[in-house]
Amino acid sequence: MAVNKLAEVTLAGLFLLDRKHPQVEGQVNQAKAYAVDSKSSPFEPTSIARREPTERDVQIEILFCGICHSDLHTARDEWNEVMPTVYPCVPGHEIVGRVTAVGSEVTKFQEGDTVGVGCLVGSDHTCAQCQADLEQYCPHAVFTYNSPDAHGTAPVTYGGYSESVVVDERFVLKIPGNLELAATAPLLCAGITTYSPLKRAGVGPGKKVGIVGLGGLGHMGVKIARAMGAEVVVFTTSPGKIEDAKRLGADEVILSTNPDEMQPHMGSFDFILDCVSAQHDINRYLSMLANNGELTLVGAPEKPLEVSAFSLIGGRKRLSGSMIGGIAETQKMLDFCGQHAITSDVEVIPIQQVNEAYERLLKGDVKYRFSIDMASLKRQ
Ligand code: NAP
Ligand code: ZN
């Protein structure tokens, strides 16, 4: 539902924008970046336009940017039916950086601050969703990449695989001082995408929570659900992740390919967060829920998933979805992670290894998030 809405917004915006002759507001600067030119081309160095900060803007030198599976879905146009990719595409929405300039009306930030930018860079600030701090569901939400660029600097927004970005201060986050920066970048998407539904579901002491898929999102879900005080069980298809899952905070780990390990847990979960990026049978996980239990999808596979009515009606179970989180909640999540010293487990790479990183991400060969060190772009 949310994705369909998103698609309408993105498509409507694209039609409204004259892509050949955008109305550029103010001065434009060039920034080094990595982009793909089609769904089958590799990332290559390029130069993109970034606007000169306007009154409410914060200009940020990007230090680290995580690689989310959504970057890969988008770069390869896997979500074409709901959100077609406009090329060239510069993904990246797990951004941590340093403020290099602020506009005259900026009040929250100053030069030198360490800040974050996640998946959102704009919204209309007037609709019911914005009023409820749910900017991610605003009909005019502007996403960090592949969204119509309201400023007209480029046909679409360009993300964090770049040396700098300019963002309205209302979409810039404060980073707790105790967190290591390379490992903090993934909180801006993987962190909030798991924190928000866990919080909404009332996860805490006395609740049994399942996390399906131990990738970038899943491993953050484990850490956050554990810090919220829940009993955490991981479902993984990868035998090589079992010990890690325990180290990350899981009370128990189930190899989901083994029915004998699944069986004893049937009907026992209060809440399950599904973080899987590819086709899989969600009916197996719905059968794990207790009566009135809820399974929330955050993973966004390319193709529709099949749901049997009997998976839901038998125990009055609920199937729902959730997309990132609003800005206020993202700040709460960062503060929560600061208090609990939670960051992502990252493998730091130079931008020159981004193509190899995508291949490894597809194979599940990353523990558990790539974080790009943007200093490598300066050496380009
Ligand atoms: P990721 O790091 O690649 O992790 C995905 C995990 O899914 C893998 O580690 C693997 O876990 C499991 N998996 C992969 N292929 C599978 C298959 N064929 N069958 C069963 N399990 C499989 O990806 P991510 O960055 O965490 O993103 C996960 C999904 O969430 C993506 O679709 C992404 O686009 C989406 N996403 C949604 C939002 C939102 O707002 N809703 C935000 C960010 C990302 P195991 O090895 O443990 O089985
Ligand atoms: Zn993401």
Side-chain angles (χ1 to χ4, degrees):
M1 188 72 176
V3 173
N4 277 330
K5 205 170 197 180
L6 242 181
E8 283 164 27
V9 172
T10 311
L11 289 171
L14 284 176
F15 282 116
L16 287 174
L17 261 169
D18 179 346
R19 290 176 50 196
K20 281 195 185 130
H21 305 285
Q23 296 296 307
V24 181
E25 287 172 9
Q27 199 188 321
V28 166
N29 301 309
Q30 292 297 307
K32 288 181 183 177
Y34 261 56
V36 282
D37 278 331
S38 76
K39 66 178 183 182
S40 53
S41 37
F43 279 95
E44 284 179 6
T46 188
S47 173
I48 55 168
R50 294 292 195 198
R51 66 181 181 271
E52 185 72 15
T54 60
E55 290 81 1
R56 295 200 73 164
D57 279 336
V58 177
Q59 185 183 55
I60 301 161
E61 176 197 5
I62 300 176
L63 300 176
F64 295 96
C65 184
I67 298 182
C68 176
H69 208 112
S70 302
D71 300 355
L72 187 151
H73 288 306
T74 307
R76 300 190 175 176
D77 204 13
E78 291 176 353
W79 289 337
N80 178 275
E81 283 176 24
V82 282
M83 271 188 292
T85 303
V86 176
Y87 296 99
C89 171
V90 180
H93 56 205
E94 295 184 334
I95 298 169
V96 164
R98 190 152 293 130
V99 174
T100 48
V102 293
S104 56
E105 288 173 21
V106 169
T107 56
K108 277 166 58 193
F109 302 98
Q110 58 185 29
E111 205 180 319
D113 285 353
T114 305
V115 294
V117 177
C119 306
L120 282 166
V121 292
S123 68
D124 65 22
H125 304 287
T126 56
C127 71
Q129 305 296 343
C130 286
Q131 300 298 317
D133 287 332
L134 295 167
E135 301 90 351
Q136 74 273 34
Y137 304 123
C138 167
H140 302 106
V142 182
F143 295 90
T144 306
Y145 59 81
N146 201 42
S147 239
D149 180 354
H151 292 263
T153 318
V156 288
T157 50
Y158 295 137
Y161 299 4
S162 161
E163 61 182 339
S164 64
V165 67
V166 178
V167 180
D168 180 326
E169 73 163 327
R170 290 171 288 188
F171 295 88
V172 179
L173 286 310
K174 293 184 189 212
I175 302 294
N178 60 324
L179 301 182
E180 205 257 309
L181 296 186
T184 297
L187 301 183
L188 276 304
C189 175
I192 183 61
T193 301
T194 49
Y195 176 92
S196 180
L198 289 168
K199 194 81 188 160
R200 192 188 51 79
V203 161
K207 299 275 182 178
K208 183 172 175 183
V209 174
I211 305 286
V212 188
L214 197 67
L217 263 56
H219 93 292
M220 288 313 308
V222 173
K223 292 186 186 201
I224 291 170
R226 177 62 182 248
M228 287 174 172
E231 177 189 351
V232 184
V233 179
V234 166
F235 295 93
T236 181
T237 58
S238 307
K241 294 180 182 173
I242 291 173
E243 284 315 308
D244 261 349
K246 291 183 185 155
R247 174 182 59 80
L248 294 166
D251 294 286
E252 211 169 320
V253 187
I254 299 171
L255 194 58
S256 54
T257 49
N258 181 352
D260 293 342
E261 289 190 30
M262 295 285 274
Q263 224 285 329
H265 291 270
M266 280 181 76
S268 69
F269 284 82
D270 297 292
F271 183 72
I272 295 178
L273 191 64
D274 185 324
C275 307
V276 176
S277 54
Q279 291 318 108
H280 61 293
D281 181 5
I282 58 169
N283 300 289
R284 299 180 69 218
Y285 299 103
L286 289 168
S287 72
M288 297 290 129
L289 290 173
N291 288 356
N292 300 310
E294 179 172 5
L295 184 149
T296 294
L297 287 173
V298 285
E302 187 179 350
K303 300 247 159 55
L305 301 169
E306 258 184 36
V307 186
S308 160
F310 293 97
S311 299
L312 297 170
I313 63 179
R316 205 162 56 187
K317 295 171 183 175
R318 285 167 293 149
L319 173 61
S320 60
S322 184
M323 191 173 74
I324 47 172
I327 295 300
E329 191 175 35
T330 304
Q331 190 62 61
K332 275 192 192 149
M333 175 278 305
L334 285 167
D335 297 345
F336 177 89
C337 288
Q339 280 153 20
H340 293 269
I342 293 175
T343 51
S344 172
D345 282 29
V346 290
E347 182 177 337
V348 180
I349 58 162
I351 187 91
Q352 292 79 3
Q353 283 176 19
V354 66
N355 291 309
E356 188 189 328
Y358 269 44
E359 293 314 311
R360 287 185 50 200
L361 182 63
L362 267 183
K363 285 190 235 150
D365 176 22
V366 48
K367 291 189 171 173
Y368 280 88
R369 202 54 140 187
F370 288 112
S371 181
I372 307 170
D373 179 356
M374 281 304 161
S376 59
L377 195 51
K378 292 198 170 53
R379 299 194 288 271
Q380 188 71 42

